[in-house]
Amino acid sequence: MNESKLHDLINSMTLEEKAAQMSQVVSSFLHEGSGEEKITGPFAGMEVANEDMSGSGSVLGASGADDLRTIQRAYLERSRLGIPLLFMADVIHGYKTVFPVPLALGCTWDTEAVEKSAAIAAKEAAAAGLHVTFSPMVDLVRDPRWGRVMESTGEDPYLNGVLARAFVRGYQGDDLKNDQSKLAACVKHFAAYGAPEGGRDYNTVDMSRRQLMEYYLPAYEAALDEGAELVMTAFNTVEGIPATGNKWLMRDLLRKEMGFDGVLISDWGAVQEMIPHGVAADNREAAIKAVTAGLDIEMMTPCYIQHVKTLVEENVIQEALIDEAVLRILKLKNKLGLFENPYRGADRELEETVTLSDVHRQAARDTAAKSCVLLKNDGVLPLRKDRNIALIGPFAESTDLMGPWSIFGAEEDVVSVRTGICGKLDIEPAVEKGCDIEVISFEQLEAAVEAAKKAEVVVLALGEHSEMSGEAGSRTKIKLPDAQLQLVSELRKLGKPLVTVLFNGRPLDLHGVIDESDAVLEAWYPGTEAGHAVADLLFGDTNPSGKLTMSFPHSVGQVPVYYNSFTTGRPHNQIPSEYRFASKYLDAPNEPLFPFGFGLSYSEFTYSNVALSSEMMEESGTIRVSVDVQNTGAVAGEETVQMYVRDLVGEVVRPVKELKGFRKVHLEPGETKQVVFELDEESLKYYHSDLTYTYDAGEFVVSVGPDSRNTEGRRFTYSPAIRVRSAVGEHTTRVYGEERF
Ligand code: NOJ
């Protein structure tokens, strides 16, 4: 349908029909009780939201080709103008074939793998009739108390941006209309949802505008630049105003400055939540604020459907604002080809063939193995397949390995650690639970100790159950529950080699685990193929290559702790330790236990010959940064080489390091490869005090290494031609050194 027809359509719509397009109903309310396509829940009984569902233009959470075809058909049969429904859902890290949680996907540092995971998710979900996924979540995270860190790709704006692009490409492809195996992507949660005070979900966010632009916005920008069709608002406040009613955030920043012209949808109930936030007295006022701020679709609550019509009739809201929102929604439906084929993609036979296919499972297995991070290995890994192993812990046989936001995945499809390990061994391992996630009994402990005594190696499968992280999964304690720590300490006493595999959705305080184990593998929630992937790594069929994308603190008291921080005016590492007045803790180091970028391998990688092509970067010029990386170990492996930059003297304070590039290299034993990065002035830019995005002339350090802590640096000078402003106009001159403009 061409755009002028969409305008004609809007001209023929009543205000009720427009308000319906702007309202999203949740599938549980659609089906509730009768099994008919009837609206219950918050929309129930409303004059415009009657049984023919004319009160909504999209549905959240329903899936399955047959079901969605039935709902669509019933809707269209009764609809006056025949505008199809949009089906949206949270397909976050896979549909039925569940991939690792996004934080783990981040740890792959593998854009191809991430893109592929999104493409597979889209293929399965589109065959089940879905049109839009509420993913990627690109909120930058620094606080592991917040349960939703598992949904982010981590603490770095650059890496988050690169990965956001990969997700969007994977979901959307190049042609949503003709490629029906794709979904429209909804990037979320705009903005800064990842920074709630105290790590408590839905809590206040307050930060400087510079901070917002420099750290929190780049990943949204990247996702939008890649073409993400929708944006979801955040629950939190931004500069004191809830994001969902924040006109500056949505109209000025998102629409005007960032150029976003797609559909903006609220998070679940976030329009109505302006009432408890204390900025709207009732549903009517909440609707006014959201429409004025530029919100197109209200998810779940009925403020729009109740009030949009009268607000326009009473001239409180201009109809043009409503038409603009409806046009964006219809354009999306049109882009997806729904006017030509309202049943787009929904195909039961295809759904049955593609979901959980061998190819998809294999991709999930490979990706899961890439996402696990080896944190410690005192030589005990990889395990020999002829060893007598005791597998102990609450995750030994558990299938709670998909993690939060895997609503379409089924536990019966998940490969447990036991199944994975048994597939590798000649002798069946002894298996004991040892304890529950949070409780231990004498009998459980005794049985575990007996099994361990008879074994040559103990593999412990520990962690947090998936409800301990995810939405509303905030915690003030980020250690493993005491029951599991007790299990570790009792087994340690036996003096057997102890390998701990962790399943969790946040960086943990690992004291009591890391010091008591000979090896620790952070497996996060690996998804459907969890057990296979973990076993592949434990027995060395796959070499670990994952690297952390979020720092692991020594203790919760250090939080937030992240690599790209400022030095402060009293840097602890430049002030003698006996001098008290430095920026430091008296009872803990400043640095995290494991830094951003960290991860071990069964290979050893040696870095040498860090060199720059020049010590001077000219305007629009580049510098080549090279390093030789050698695999000095005995097995082939994959290394992620990281490049960081520091601006030594900025107009505002600059972080001690900022990731500006990375490369994954495969190295056979003994092999050396030269890794080369091109550094250009784009990488030197940042937001200055007046919020202009530019660079400083002067001294920089570029460093490379295997993680953010272990890097080797070289200095260079950036010397652009500078513009000298004078009363008689502007002329350009070249100045070297500290000058800047
Ligand atoms: C609330 C969550 O914050 C959001 O991420 C999700 O997409 C919606 N619910 C819809 O389920």
Side-chain angles (χ1 to χ4, degrees):
M1 192 181 281
N2 64 33
E3 203 172 316
S4 77
K5 283 214 175 129
L6 293 181
H7 285 281
D8 294 345
L9 194 52
I10 292 175
N11 290 337
S12 64
M13 288 169 84
T14 62
L15 277 170
E16 286 96 330
E17 284 164 343
K18 291 177 186 176
Q21 287 301 314
M22 296 170 71
S23 304
Q24 177 161 98
V25 71
V26 176
S27 64
S28 46
F29 301 128
L30 196 68
H31 281 299
E32 205 174 58
S34 63
E36 285 167 20
E37 300 70 40
K38 185 173 170 181
I39 293 185
T40 57
F43 283 63
M46 285 167 17
E47 205 186 322
V48 285
N50 49 30
E51 286 181 18
D52 68 4
M53 290 194 305
S54 59
S56 92
S58 56
V59 174
L60 156 66
S63 83
D66 283 351
D67 267 11
L68 297 196
R69 290 182 86 94
T70 309
I71 296 172
Q72 188 77 287
R73 190 171 309 112
Y75 180 79
L76 289 174
E77 272 166 12
R78 296 178 214 157
S79 141
R80 188 177 74 92
L81 294 168
I83 304 172
L85 284 168
L86 261 178
F87 294 115
M88 311 194 187
D90 292 282
V91 181
I92 309 289
H93 49 111
Y95 181 68
K96 292 229 156 112
T97 306
V98 177
F99 284 77
V101 290
L103 189 58
L105 284 174
C107 294
T108 64
W109 296 60
D110 188 329
T111 50
E112 269 176 40
V114 169
E115 184 175 334
K116 192 169 171 185
S117 77
I120 288 175
K123 196 170 184 176
E124 293 189 359
L130 287 166
H131 307 136
V132 173
T133 175
F134 294 130
S135 175
M137 188 275 224
V138 301
D139 299 308
L140 184 136
V141 289
R142 291 173 168 173
D143 190 335
R145 291 173 297 182
W146 192 48
R148 296 193 82 168
V149 299
M150 49 64 55
E151 250 186 280
S152 161
T153 48
E155 72 187 35
D156 184 68
Y158 171 82
L159 184 61
N160 285 353
V162 171
L163 295 172
R165 285 180 185 278
F167 276 112
V168 174
R169 277 196 306 273
Y171 289 133
Q172 294 194 167
D174 302 321
D175 185 355
L176 279 173
K177 186 166 268 181
N178 293 311
D179 186 349
Q180 300 198 347
S181 70
K182 295 294 177 189
L183 300 176
C186 176
V187 58
K188 64 192 190 184
H189 308 82
F190 197 74
Y193 181 43
E197 286 179 359
R200 201 178 77 222
D201 208 1
Y202 319 122
N203 200 10
T204 309
V205 170
D206 201 5
M207 64 174 66
S208 72
R209 209 167 272 200
R210 271 202 67 259
Q211 173 92 340
L212 177 72
M213 302 190 99
E214 186 158 334
Y215 295 98
Y216 289 83
L217 292 189
Y220 303 110
E221 279 166 346
L224 297 184
D225 190 54
E226 201 61 48
E229 294 289 349
L230 300 93
V231 171
M232 185 187 291
T233 66
F235 288 122
N236 51 274
T237 50
V238 173
E239 299 186 357
I241 299 173
T244 309
N246 193 317
K247 194 161 171 241
W248 168 76
L249 188 69
M250 304 205 289
R251 284 209 189 267
D252 298 348
L253 183 67
L254 180 66
R255 296 268 189 224
K256 284 204 198 100
E257 282 184 42
M258 293 167 70
F260 176 64
D261 193 30
V263 171
L264 184 54
I265 183 168
S266 80
D267 202 342
W268 173 285
V271 175
Q272 203 172 53
E273 283 180 19
M274 281 193 267
I275 301 170
H277 264 298
V279 295
D282 48 27
N283 283 3
R284 181 177 184 274
E285 212 178 327
I288 298 173
K289 294 220 163 180
V291 170
T292 315
L295 183 86
D296 301 326
I297 301 182
E298 176 185 11
M299 185 194 292
M300 157 69 193
T301 44
C303 307
Y304 277 12
I305 200 73
Q306 286 173 343
H307 296 288
V308 158
K309 178 173 182 274
T310 45
L311 287 170
V312 173
E313 285 167 353
E314 289 163 11
N315 264 334
V316 180
I317 290 177
Q318 291 174 352
E319 190 160 2
L321 289 188
I322 303 303
D323 289 353
E324 169 190 294
V326 174
L327 179 62
R328 283 192 285 260
I329 297 162
L330 297 187
K331 272 187 181 172
L332 176 62
K333 293 185 174 184
N334 195 31
K335 253 191 192 173
L336 284 156
L338 290 175
F339 288 106
E340 289 80 17
N341 177 10
Y343 307 103
R344 176 193 188 273
D347 178 336
R348 185 159 53 84
E349 269 177 38
L350 185 66
E351 185 185 0
E352 279 166 8
T353 2
V354 295
T355 44
L356 286 163
S357 69
D358 291 348
V359 175
H360 290 187
R361 275 188 173 273
Q362 187 61 47
R365 179 175 184 162
D366 296 344
T367 310
K370 286 176 186 210
S371 72
C372 297
V373 183
L374 184 62
L375 296 175
K376 178 177 179 181
N377 186 13
D378 283 351
V380 57
L381 289 178
L383 298 172
R384 283 190 3 221
K385 292 178 183 164
D386 60 358
R387 295 309 270 304
N388 184 353
I389 290 172
L391 172 63
I392 296 173
F395 280 92
E397 296 187 274
S398 168
T399 44
D400 180 18
L401 299 172
M402 295 184 289
W405 289 117
S406 45
I407 42 183
F408 302 105
E411 281 208 25
E412 67 256 28
D413 294 324
V414 173
V415 180
S416 70
V417 178
R418 177 188 190 147
T419 305
I421 286 186
C422 284
K424 301 280 181 190
L425 292 177
D426 308 332
I427 325 160
E428 278 272 306
V431 181
E432 286 297 337
K433 210 170 178 189
C435 63
D436 292 315
I437 302 281
E438 299 189 83
V439 193
I440 189 164
S441 71
F442 175 75
E443 291 73 26
Q444 284 175 320
L445 182 59
E446 194 178 45
V449 168
E450 282 314 307
K453 276 186 186 161
K454 292 183 202 131
E456 292 167 275
V457 181
V458 177
V459 174
L460 264 173
L462 307 177
E464 295 185 326
H465 61 72
S466 54
E467 288 290 305
M468 290 167 86
S469 59
E471 187 175 348
S474 299
R475 290 179 62 83
T476 59
K477 298 184 187 71
I478 57 167
K479 290 183 90 142
L480 283 184
D482 289 343
Q484 297 186 54
L485 294 178
Q486 189 187 343
L487 177 66
V488 179
S489 115
E490 292 300 328
L491 293 174
R492 187 63 179 166
K493 290 179 190 156
L494 304 178
K496 306 267 173 168
L498 207 62
V499 175
T500 301
V501 185
L502 294 167
F503 301 95
N504 48 286
R506 57 162 58 79
L508 295 171
D509 166 350
L510 288 179
H511 292 289
V513 176
I514 201 85
D515 32 348
E516 303 285 339
S517 309
D518 298 291
V520 175
L521 182 70
E522 175 53 76
W524 307 110
Y525 292 112
T528 311
E529 285 289 316
H532 285 146
V534 166
D536 287 343
L537 292 167
L538 291 180
F539 294 95
D541 294 334
T542 306
N543 193 349
S545 61
K547 302 234 186 193
L548 298 178
T549 57
M550 196 176 172
S551 307
F552 271 50
H554 269 280
S555 68
V556 74
Q558 278 186 323
V559 168
V561 61
Y562 48 92
Y563 87 95
N564 46 359
S565 56
F566 295 164
T567 48
T568 78
R570 296 188 176 200
H572 72 294
N573 50 6
Q574 290 173 34
I575 293 176
S577 56
E578 60 278 12
Y579 185 68
R580 180 183 175 88
F581 301 98
S583 178
K584 65 184 177 194
Y585 295 107
L586 297 177
D587 58 351
N590 282 14
E591 290 71 29
L593 179 61
F594 293 111
F596 175 84
F598 177 84
L600 301 172
S601 158
Y602 297 150
S603 314
E604 293 280 328
F605 299 106
T606 313
Y607 286 62
S608 61
N609 299 329
V610 177
L612 304 186
S613 57
S614 166
E615 286 173 5
M616 189 77 77
M617 187 194 283
E618 310 225 322
E619 184 163 353
S620 308
T622 55
I623 287 185
R624 290 172 65 241
V625 185
S626 57
V627 59
D628 291 341
V629 184
Q630 186 181 16
N631 181 353
T632 49
V635 289
E638 204 162 70
E639 170 69 334
T640 301
V641 183
Q642 299 156 40
M643 175 182 69
Y644 297 88
V645 169
R646 177 169 185 187
D647 182 346
L648 288 176
V649 183
E651 189 246 348
V652 299
V653 177
R654 305 304 305 138
V656 290
K657 269 174 199 169
E658 292 177 273
L659 183 74
K660 293 295 176 183
F662 63 91
R663 296 264 188 291
K664 281 183 89 86
V665 279
H666 177 91
L667 292 166
E668 293 296 321
E671 188 183 359
T672 302
K673 276 188 184 154
Q674 189 185 50
V675 178
V676 181
F677 298 95
E678 288 259 316
L679 189 67
D680 61 16
E681 60 188 16
E682 230 7 74
S683 308
L684 311 183
K685 285 184 177 170
Y686 66 89
Y687 287 98
H688 283 59
S689 54
D690 62 358
L691 299 183
T692 52
Y693 189 63
T694 184
Y695 31 66
D696 302 314
E699 297 287 302
F700 290 79
V701 174
V702 57
S703 52
V704 288
D707 60 65
S708 63
R709 189 178 289 165
N710 296 301
T711 57
E712 193 175 325
R714 296 285 179 270
R715 281 171 96 106
F716 71 93
T717 305
Y718 177 57
S719 60
I722 65 163
R723 292 197 169 276
V724 177
R725 288 173 210 280
S726 75
V728 289
E730 283 191 346
H731 63 277
T732 303
T733 180
R734 184 165 292 278
V735 177
Y736 296 102
E738 292 294 318
E739 300 282 346
R740 68 187 75 91
F741 63 106

